[in-house]
Amino acid sequence: MRFAYGTRELGRFLFDSQTGEPISILVRSNQVHRELSLVHEIGHVLDLAALGAGIQFGSRCNPILEDWGRAVTASSAFRLLQDVGNRRRVKIVDASGSAHDASITQRERELIDMWLQPEELWARSYAQFVAAHGSLPALITSLDAFRARVPGKVYYPLQWDEDDFAAVDITIDALFRTLGWRT
């Protein structure tokens, strides 16, 4: 793992595109949520190196993840993110409760498309699973920051509300028990 300066991304998992061999994890050093970013990137490593096949992420090809995929795509967060990505305009409510329309830019739609990719959904759900089952308050603080609805801004549900995550959590727990990674 390395801390990186001057990158726009919060974190990045680097791997050999020919073999799928993990190379490194980069985490942007000047961010508040470094711990959650690190766990997210570890999720990518597990997805590729432990659950995947060669250069194929397990979240895209491994049948053992089918229940997880169904739980994710049935979640409100997934459907809301997908819905926002399909629109040109969204309603934004400011702190006073007044609503107005805002345009979704091409760059925002591209980000949403990336956020809806199986490997990104896996990494975010893995990070949330670790935060929910771990004992590091910084992870929960970061998770809450990503779940916060900020008045005057478009809400992108990159992490799940607790009740919405319950089914996803159950599938990850069952997966880890099946693999012998959790007792």
Side-chain angles (χ1 to χ4, degrees):
M1 200 254 328
R2 299 184 319 215
F3 287 109
Y5 296 91
T7 180
R8 286 182 1 165
E9 298 169 309
L10 298 179
R12 183 166 188 85
F13 163 51
L14 302 173
F15 62 95
D16 185 304
S17 62
Q18 301 296 312
T19 66
E21 193 71 27
I23 296 172
S24 68
I25 291 175
L26 302 174
V27 174
R28 192 172 79 199
S29 60
N30 63 341
Q31 64 163 304
V32 177
H33 309 291
R34 286 188 301 266
E35 295 92 345
L36 191 64
S37 291
L38 175 60
V39 176
H40 174 104
E41 298 307 324
I42 290 169
H44 283 308
V45 173
L46 289 175
D47 191 12
L48 183 66
L51 300 169
I55 60 168
Q56 197 64 320
F57 285 91
S59 56
R60 288 186 174 271
C61 70
N62 193 332
I64 201 169
L65 290 164
E66 287 177 359
D67 288 342
W68 163 82
R70 279 191 291 276
V72 166
T73 57
S75 71
S76 295
F78 177 86
R79 289 191 315 271
L80 178 60
L81 189 57
Q82 194 173 47
D83 185 50
V84 170
N86 289 332
R87 293 195 225 163
R88 297 266 182 240
R89 301 189 63 72
V90 293
K91 286 212 182 298
I92 297 178
V93 178
D94 63 25
S96 71
S98 298
H100 65 280
D101 282 351
S103 295
I104 298 291
T105 66
Q106 180 62 32
R107 174 68 178 138
E108 287 169 309
R109 279 194 296 280
E110 289 169 1
L111 283 170
I112 292 168
D113 286 345
M114 181 195 66
W115 293 331
L116 290 170
Q117 296 300 310
E119 60 271 20
E120 287 303 320
L121 292 162
W122 168 261
R124 291 197 315 274
S125 64
Y126 172 78
Q128 186 157 343
F129 180 86
V130 170
H133 293 273
S135 58
L136 293 173
L139 291 179
I140 295 296
T141 299
S142 293
L143 188 60
D144 288 343
F146 282 102
R147 294 189 290 205
R149 280 91 167 149
V150 179
K153 293 194 175 199
V154 176
Y155 172 63
Y156 298 108
L158 299 181
Q159 298 297 155
W160 294 259
D161 291 327
E162 284 182 43
D163 60 333
D164 192 34
F165 189 66
V168 178
D169 184 271
I170 288 167
T171 63
I172 294 173
D173 186 64
L175 169 70
F176 287 176
R177 290 179 191 282
T178 298
L179 294 171
W181 296 357
R182 188 168 166 86
T183 56

